[in-house]
């Protein structure tokens, strides 16, 4: 029963995060991108902080000391603000499915950044090939035209790639800082800090907003879905599955989410995924498999042992 429960929660998380890309596309028809992202985390940050205060003991919901606040600062700037600002701006001119697929490159880039920042832990030749395959997948999806590198579609996908790179770099830096901050606390305060950074960026960009957006059902529905379902519920599921499955298995959600983004985007927005995008996704998945080959091999062996024991 526990195995079926984990599979069900994993698919629910993939559905929440995959369909979030569709909600972003729907909301961008009414809200300016950076402000839209900031509003999402205004709500989600407060909810997550409340959850951290409820779930953690001995005041662990509040960061203490320079190292813990440094983790929060990196999370706020890179994992929340930079990632979502790039993603929301880029997704104005690309499909939800393409954005989800480009973001799925994050685990590959995370390994690349980790190896680059720790020279003693360099990538093997096979690992380098894996990173290269992931980047080839991005190039296939983006289809850059050397004679027009400022084309709207290419720039949009490049911005989504920058979002994935920001998240990957932030993931590496937060792990390198020597701080024992609970993940619930880090996520909650990073959301609040990231929302503040994005509000400042939105003000600097002088983003306009139509008053009608505050009463439009689709606009409010998209904002509510992103804040309550994709962020609050999604991260609660993530925390639960991270403890049950571990980091390797939970990373696989990045490769299931685009399937939900594709299906929901087709049903709700009428978006169609072309063969080139699917091919690029294949390269990214292959890159992930090469970069994480040892961890995947160990994980599959562990799952096989558990399955064999359950049948005895």
């Amino acid at each position: 029963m526990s195995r079926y429960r984990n599979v069900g929660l994993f698919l629910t998380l993939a559905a929440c995060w995959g369909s979030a890309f569709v909600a972003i596309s729907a909301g961008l028809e009414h809200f300016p991108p950076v402000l839209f992202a900031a509003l999402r985390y205004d709500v989600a940050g407060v909810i997550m902080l409340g959850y951290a205060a409820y779930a953690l003991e001995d005041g662990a919901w509040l960061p203490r000391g320079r190292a813990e606040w440094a983790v929060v600062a990196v999370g706020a700037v890179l994992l929340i603000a930079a990632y979502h600002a790039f993603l929301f701006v880029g997704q104005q001119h690309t499909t939800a499915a393409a954005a989800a697929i480009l973001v799925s490159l994050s685990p590959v880039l995370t390994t690349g950044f980790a190896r680059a920042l720790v020279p003693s832990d360099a990538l093997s030749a096979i690992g380098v090939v894996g990173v290269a395959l992931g980047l080839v997948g991005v190039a296939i999806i983006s289809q850059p035209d050397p004679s027009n590198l400022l084309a709207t579609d290419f720039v949009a996908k490049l911005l989504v790639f920058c979002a994935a790179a920001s998240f990957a770099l932030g993931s590496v830096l937060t792990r390198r800082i020597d701080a024992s901050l609970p993940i619930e606390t880090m996520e909650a305060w990073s959301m609040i800090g990231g929302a503040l950074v994005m509000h400042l960026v939105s003000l600097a960009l002088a983003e306009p907003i139509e008053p009608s957006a505050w009463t439009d059902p689709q606009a409010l529905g998209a904002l509510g879905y992103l804040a309550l379902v994709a962020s609050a519920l999604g991260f609660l599921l993530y925390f639960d599955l991270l403890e049950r499955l571990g980091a390797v298995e939970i990373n696989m959600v990045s490769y299931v989410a685009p399937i939900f983004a594709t299906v929901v985007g087709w049903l709700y927005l009428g978006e169609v995924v072309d063969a080139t995008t699917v091919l690029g996704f294949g390269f990214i998945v292959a890159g992930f498999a090469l970069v994480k080959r040892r961890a995947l091999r160990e994980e599959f062996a562990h799952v096989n042992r558990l399955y064999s024991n359950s049948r005895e």
Side-chain angles (χ1 to χ4, degrees), residues 102 133-144 154 161 276 280 284:
L102 289 169
L133 281 177
L135 295 176
V136 169
V138 172
I140 290 173
I141 294 170
S142 302
Q143 300 180 60
F154 174 69
F161 171 78
T276 302
I284 292 173

Side-chain angles (χ1 to χ4, degrees), residues 12-13 15-17 19 223-235 237:
T12 301
L13 177 60
C16 288
W17 283 358
S19 57
L223 178 58
Y225 186 85
L226 289 171
L228 301 176
V229 178
S231 297
L233 176 61
F235 275 104
L237 292 174

Side-chain angles (χ1 to χ4, degrees), residues 203-309:
L203 288 173
L205 295 174
E207 288 187 322
I209 183 169
E210 291 292 332
S212 60
W214 299 107
T215 58
D216 187 277
Q218 178 172 285
L220 296 179
L223 178 58
Y225 186 85
L226 289 171
L228 301 176
V229 178
S231 297
L233 176 61
F235 275 104
L236 292 178
L237 292 174
Y238 175 82
F239 296 148
D240 182 62
L241 287 170
L242 181 63
E243 182 177 347
R244 293 172 179 274
L245 303 178
V248 175
E249 280 195 63
I250 199 64
N251 266 337
M252 296 303 292
V253 77
S254 298
Y255 301 97
V256 181
I259 298 173
F260 286 95
T262 300
V263 173
V264 178
W266 172 64
L267 291 174
Y268 188 74
L269 300 175
E271 295 181 341
V272 178
V273 177
D274 57 24
T276 302
T277 301
V278 175
L279 178 62
F281 182 45
F283 272 84
I284 292 173
V285 173
F288 173 81
L290 289 179
V291 168
K292 295 288 188 180
R293 64 194 182 283
R294 293 190 182 92
L296 288 171
R297 189 162 51 240
E298 292 172 1
E299 193 63 38
F300 285 135
H302 176 66
V303 171
N304 285 333
R305 285 195 301 271
L306 291 177
Y307 180 71
S308 298
N309 292 336

